[in-house]
Amino acid sequence: MPPAVYILGLSVFALGTSEFMLSGLLPPIADDMNVSIPQAGLLISAFAIGMVVGAPLLAVATLRLPRRTTLIALISVFGLGQIAGALAPTYEVLFASRVVSALACAGFWAVGAAVAIAMVPVNQRARAMAVMIGGLSIANVLGVPLGAFLGEHFGWRSAFWAVGAASAVALIGVVTRIPYIPLPEKKPELRRELAIYRDRQVWLAIVITALAAGGVFCAFSYLAPLLTDVAGLDSGWVPWILGLFGIGALVGTTIGGRVADAHLFGVLLSGITASTVFLAALALFASSQVAVVALAFLLGLSAFFTAPALNARMFNVAGAAPTLAGATTTAAFNLGNTSGPWLGGTVIDADFGFAATAWAGAAMTVLALAAVAVSLRLQRGGVGRSRSRLIAKSAAAGTGSAGAAVGTGSAAGAERAVPGPGATGPVTSADCVASPGA
């Protein structure tokens, strides 16, 4: 794995810490800014919505710009956004700084993912994305608890200064370690890039990603009150259990990244199924302290075990537009991170209780499984049609041994015949599994 991919993962650590750390800083921010807790919570929603909107918007805006230069500009703007937040004299200024930071964060995710994919062969895409997602996992394990610690002992502004410092370190890494990646000889055209949205497999990938992420975060967003009000744990345990979720996420990312390239649909099906089972168990055993603690770890593991496959799937079906593919994946994840907590809040407002958020999340992951099944069926149909066309072409041309190999309909022949889009390395069985079927 190129060292530059790890630099991107380091950058994502800073981005992820900023995105999630506010969950532990809302009370002091509300007190300092003289606003209510719900108003302070809008800072989280603003960041998520900025990610959804900013990813495709900035991907289009920077389409013809050098990738390395774009990354430098985006991580610089993000760092300045953290400084602005730390110095914000009013709630309105802090809100604006969060929106600007979210836009830069979304753009960096989109362009950074495209750069990571460009630096590795096609059969290492999921592993490259696992490194980037690993930065997000470590942010949950270390960054978010550290932000809460700084906020409690040195004031909430210190957490923003810390993320600004981490952004400066990431900027140095991007400047010194990210290589120059030339643009294609044929300049990207917006119309051609947007053509990926005509493919129903792309839309299925968006739906799967949003539902799989949303289902887990529907329950995870309200894990703290579930731990204290339902399971009866002391509030001092909450940061440790959230950190346990992050450890599970790191383990899941590592495993998922290593197996997703060869078994993409297998990872999707098994990972989302596991999340469904764990969410249902969380709803059933919410009053058991031991069960809730164990399930926090397992949910982190299953959710992030699936994440590299979700990223790789989008790049495989939208390989003709890698920057928009990265932007679309970022938007899809954050669409889930927005809709899941909204659904959980709706369930709580309807007086079903905190444990019911896990049932609502399980319903979302069941829908994600249904979408995976549809995508897999279309995939197999597309591979079958490609095989039939190749057989007919070989028979007509009388290609001898090569044609006979394809004509036998062997799996190996089909795999070699249907590489994924934008392949940059040797064709493997993963190319067949991950190619856009329809």
Side-chain angles (χ1 to χ4, degrees):
M1 193 62 58
V5 176
Y6 292 97
I7 294 297
L8 294 173
L10 171 65
S11 304
V12 168
F13 169 77
L15 303 179
T17 299
S18 177
E19 181 175 3
F20 294 113
M21 72 179 181
L22 257 65
S23 59
L25 300 175
L26 292 184
I29 289 176
D31 290 341
D32 189 34
M33 294 294 180
N34 294 317
V35 298
S36 66
I37 291 289
Q39 282 180 294
L42 291 177
L43 296 170
I44 299 175
S45 300
F47 199 98
I49 294 172
M51 291 282 287
V52 172
V53 175
L57 185 64
L58 281 170
V60 170
T62 62
L63 197 58
R64 299 191 177 189
L65 298 179
R67 305 290 84 187
R68 180 174 176 272
T69 303
T70 302
L71 290 175
I72 292 172
L74 290 170
I75 195 66
S76 299
V77 171
F78 176 82
L80 291 173
Q82 303 309 299
I83 295 174
L87 297 173
T90 64
Y91 173 81
E92 289 74 19
V93 174
L94 180 58
F95 190 95
S97 75
R98 293 301 289 171
V99 173
V100 171
S101 296
L103 292 173
C105 178
F108 191 96
W109 257 109
V111 177
V115 169
I117 291 296
M119 289 190 292
V120 299
V122 68
N123 60 347
Q124 290 188 10
R125 286 176 171 176
R127 289 189 65 183
M129 292 310 305
V131 172
M132 288 191 66
I133 299 168
L136 187 61
S137 302
I138 297 174
N140 279 288
V141 176
L142 297 178
V144 174
L146 181 59
F149 175 83
L150 290 173
E152 182 177 351
H153 292 85
F154 302 101
W156 65 268
R157 296 177 188 272
S158 65
F160 280 78
W161 283 114
V163 176
S167 303
V169 174
L171 173 62
I172 294 172
V174 171
V175 170
T176 58
R177 302 300 298 175
I178 300 295
Y180 171 75
I181 299 178
L183 291 172
E185 293 183 4
K186 186 177 181 180
K187 291 186 177 181
E189 297 177 6
L190 180 58
R191 181 179 299 178
R192 190 174 71 248
E193 295 262 331
L194 290 175
I196 64 171
Y197 296 118
R198 298 174 186 170
D199 188 347
R200 50 190 170 176
Q201 286 282 27
V202 170
W203 288 104
L204 280 169
I206 294 172
V207 169
I208 294 166
T209 301
L211 288 173
V216 172
F217 280 91
C218 180
F220 178 75
S221 299
Y222 302 96
L223 188 59
L226 186 147
L227 291 169
T228 56
D229 295 4
V230 182
L233 286 166
D234 184 83
S235 60
W237 283 96
V238 172
W240 295 100
I241 296 174
L242 294 179
L244 192 61
F245 176 92
I247 294 173
L250 184 58
V251 174
T253 300
T254 303
I255 299 173
R258 291 186 176 276
V259 300
D261 284 308
H263 307 285
L264 192 141
F265 274 102
V267 169
L268 290 178
L269 290 169
S270 61
I272 298 174
T273 298
S275 292
T276 305
V277 172
F278 297 150
L279 286 167
L282 182 63
L284 291 171
F285 303 105
S287 59
S288 170
Q289 296 179 355
V290 174
V292 169
V293 171
L295 287 167
F297 170 81
L298 292 173
L299 270 175
L301 192 153
S302 64
F304 282 78
F305 171 75
T306 314
L310 292 170
N311 278 275
R313 177 61 179 164
M314 183 65 75
F315 277 97
N316 287 332
V317 298
T323 303
L324 270 184
T328 303
T329 305
T330 301
F333 270 109
N334 282 276
L335 185 61
N337 293 346
T338 304
S339 61
W342 171 82
L343 178 60
T346 302
V347 168
I348 294 170
D349 288 339
D351 293 327
F352 287 108
F354 293 116
T357 60
W359 285 122
M364 293 184 74
T365 54
V366 167
L367 292 175
L369 282 173
V372 173
V374 173
S375 181
L376 180 56
R377 184 172 181 178
L378 291 174
Q379 178 78 24
R380 287 173 172 170
V383 172
R385 288 193 297 272
S386 298
R387 183 190 294 122
S388 298
R389 287 195 297 269
L390 285 166
I391 292 172
K393 182 177 179 181
S394 298
T399 53
S401 59
V406 176
T408 59
S410 66
E415 289 166 0
R416 297 280 175 181
V418 194
T424 58
V427 180
T428 69
S429 59
D431 302 328
C432 175
V433 175
S435 62

